[in-house]
Amino acid sequence: MDLLIENAEQIVTCHTRGRKFKAGKHQSEIGLLKKSSILVENGKISWVGKKLPRGILRKNLLKIDARGKCVLPGFIDSHTHSVFAGDRADEYSMRIKGSTYEEIAASGGGIRSTVKAVRKASKKELKDLAGRRILTSMCFGVTTIEAKSGYGLSAAAEIKMLEVISELRKELPVDIYATFLGAHAFPDEKTREDYIDEIMFRMIPAITEKKLAVFIDAFCEKNYFSVNETKGIFLQGVKYGLTPKLHTNQFYSIGGIKAAIECGAISVDHLEVMKPSDVSALKDSGTIACLLPAVSYFLDIPYAPARKLIESKIPVALATDFNPGSAMSENIQLTMSLAVQLLKMNIEETFNAVTINAAAALGVSDRIGSIETGKQGDLLIFDTPAYSDILYHFGVNQLWKVIKRGRVIC
Ligand code: NIG
Ligand code: FE
């Protein structure tokens, strides 16, 4: 059935006016409409405005009265590690007492401990866990999500994770994009060279043959993958049709950003530690800077220089980075609150960062991320008349309805 959302107090359209993303001062433009309605036909937005088109009410429509409420595009979480087994609550408690994330990783915990749990888990267990988590993300307004592998670190276990994502895509009402993150850490049982060979010559060909991922990612950082190793892996991925995204500049600036851009990365993610040369490399590259403030909050590390990036006209997206070690929260609204309070992004920049710019970080901003005719009917209705209340009244989920392709899903 087609859908009519009537008389919303505010509609935050995040309009693109034909642009792929919003940068600089445009990142503050949200295209606000007042007392307006939205028509969704065959899953796509067919009309937005004040005065209903003639004859529309004769159609068989599901009507939602949105008086006193505000409507936004569905949120897009463009960076998550939602597929994992086990937990790292013990590490959390050690960190609260003063150990650092890097110390815990160096003593055999961290990513490796989740790798053990994922290898042990059956596909069904992993799928049940990840499915529930993605539904939790959805309850906070996420209608499109990215999910990475990276806790398998062997061909079989990486493929198991990606197959989970592929099955969930068919079963859950949200869109899910898969990223191959074999280069997340080094497994204990292999030499560095052997593992990189396995990624390049075994995993990438097998994963692309089975069409299990669209993106390729790596953790380019001191003690993880070097700039040259990252480049080699990315170029091989590109050869097999994958698009790079990169975990970089979380703890050190070692040149990951420049390398990612040279390999055609669609986004560079984290960016807590930035040198002026990193900012200049990003400027005019068209690569999205995806910031993950929940990691800074959870690990107590510096926050990314969001203002500097926006002032340099770099398009900024925000994502949760939901994972058991550095950001154990599916709540994208929490990420948005942190962005406003701690990254000093304004409310409008923040909404564009989880809608249109997040869509651009997944290469799909022509289809989702704004309320414009022709776009997918992915919409959120909040039970508040003003969009600013969503962040002003913090820590409370005021979401009333989640709509995916014109269907109410939550
Ligand atoms: O994005 N930084 C690398 N990877 C993840 C954390 C993974 C983990 O600790 O399990 C991140 O923060
Ligand atoms: Fe991550």
Side-chain angles (χ1 to χ4, degrees):
M1 206 197 280
D2 293 333
L3 172 74
L4 179 66
I5 300 174
E6 283 185 287
N7 282 317
E9 188 59 35
Q10 294 189 342
I11 300 178
V12 174
T13 64
C14 296
H15 61 22
T16 54
R17 301 217 165 105
R19 284 187 227 103
K20 269 196 187 156
F21 51 70
K22 291 185 178 175
K25 66 177 184 349
H26 297 301
Q27 180 138 9
S28 294
E29 293 165 4
I30 46 157
L32 185 64
L33 301 176
K34 291 191 177 154
K35 300 211 189 304
S36 297
S37 303
I38 303 172
L39 181 64
V40 184
E41 291 177 294
N42 301 318
K44 284 191 178 166
I45 298 167
S46 55
W47 173 84
V48 186
K50 274 190 196 287
K51 203 168 166 302
L52 294 182
R54 277 255 226 75
I56 205 68
L57 292 174
R58 264 178 276 127
K59 285 188 66 172
N60 187 19
L61 293 170
L62 170 68
K63 284 192 222 150
I64 297 180
D65 181 0
R67 245 172 302 177
K69 300 189 165 53
C70 69
V71 184
L72 280 88
F75 297 148
I76 298 158
D77 195 348
S78 69
H79 181 143
T80 85
H81 306 251
S82 305
V83 183
F84 62 86
D87 66 66
R88 308 234 294 273
D90 51 341
E91 293 181 8
Y92 179 60
S93 140
M94 283 160 72
R95 285 198 292 100
I96 294 297
K97 289 184 192 138
S99 309
T100 68
Y101 180 78
E102 287 171 286
E103 282 162 11
I104 291 170
S107 65
I111 294 173
R112 276 176 174 152
S113 90
T114 303
V115 169
K116 276 192 202 118
V118 164
R119 286 181 176 181
K120 240 198 264 155
S122 69
K123 196 155 108 185
K124 179 166 183 328
E125 281 162 350
L126 271 181
K127 190 173 155 189
D128 287 349
L129 289 164
R132 259 181 285 156
R133 295 180 190 127
I134 292 173
L135 291 176
T136 304
S137 301
M138 188 179 91
C139 294
F140 289 104
V142 171
T143 52
T144 297
I145 195 166
E146 180 260 17
K148 302 177 195 293
S149 67
Y151 291 124
L153 310 188
S154 70
E158 287 291 307
I159 288 172
K160 175 171 75 176
M161 290 186 75
L162 292 169
E163 283 176 349
V164 164
I165 298 171
S166 166
E167 288 178 21
L168 288 173
R169 179 182 308 116
K170 291 181 200 126
E171 295 168 26
L172 295 181
V174 297
D175 287 328
I176 311 178
Y177 290 87
T179 298
F180 169 53
L181 176 58
H184 197 192
F186 289 93
D188 293 335
E189 69 277 4
K190 283 212 155 85
T191 63
R192 207 176 170 95
E193 292 68 32
D194 283 354
Y195 185 57
I196 290 174
D197 276 1
E198 182 172 4
I199 292 176
M200 302 231 294
F201 304 111
R202 202 157 155 226
M203 297 190 194
I204 292 176
I207 283 158
T208 48
E209 152 114 70
K210 291 175 194 270
K211 296 195 170 30
L212 287 174
V214 283
F215 299 108
I216 182 160
D217 196 343
F219 188 17
C220 183
E221 189 62 64
K222 251 188 210 171
N223 301 324
Y224 292 85
F225 291 78
S226 71
V227 168
N228 278 339
E229 288 163 345
T230 301
K231 262 186 142 177
I233 292 166
F234 273 7
L235 292 176
Q236 176 78 340
V238 169
K239 213 168 104 188
Y240 279 83
L242 300 171
T243 301
K245 284 181 158 288
L246 187 62
H247 281 76
T248 187
N249 294 57
Q250 182 180 1
F251 299 106
Y252 302 93
S253 164
I254 61 169
I257 292 180
K258 189 166 165 279
I261 293 167
E262 282 164 12
C263 296
I266 196 158
S267 74
V268 283
D269 302 30
H270 274 290
L271 318 188
E272 288 87 347
V273 178
M274 295 286 280
K275 285 186 191 154
S277 57
D278 294 314
V279 178
S280 344
L282 259 179
K283 233 181 148 174
D284 304 321
S285 66
T287 300
I288 307 287
C290 181
L291 309 184
L292 315 166
V295 174
S296 301
Y297 174 76
F298 201 62
L299 295 186
D300 199 12
I301 61 170
Y303 285 84
R307 289 260 52 90
K308 176 94 212 142
L309 296 171
I310 293 174
E311 276 154 24
S312 308
K313 300 193 176 67
I314 294 162
V316 169
L318 289 161
T320 60
D321 194 15
F322 173 43
N323 76 81
S326 71
M328 185 62 179
S329 175
E330 297 93 330
N331 185 349
I332 196 157
Q333 293 183 39
L334 171 67
T335 291
M336 293 159 71
S337 276
L338 295 173
V340 169
Q341 290 292 133
L342 295 158
L343 297 182
K344 307 295 174 200
M345 287 172 64
N346 65 41
I347 292 174
E348 293 75 17
E349 288 166 345
T350 299
F351 282 125
N352 279 318
V354 293
T355 56
I356 193 65
N357 284 2
L362 295 177
V364 287
S365 60
D366 55 334
R367 281 189 276 131
I368 56 172
S370 62
I371 302 180
E372 292 175 289
T373 53
K375 286 228 168 159
Q376 209 163 280
D378 295 359
L379 304 164
L380 307 176
I381 309 179
F382 282 87
D383 193 7
T384 173
Y387 70 87
S388 54
D389 286 348
I390 298 167
L391 294 169
Y392 164 59
H393 188 171
F394 73 101
V396 173
N397 191 0
Q398 298 165 84
L399 190 52
W400 182 56
K401 282 195 189 327
V402 180
I403 294 155
K404 183 72 188 172
R405 292 197 172 94
R407 269 187 46 228
V408 179
I409 56 169
C410 169

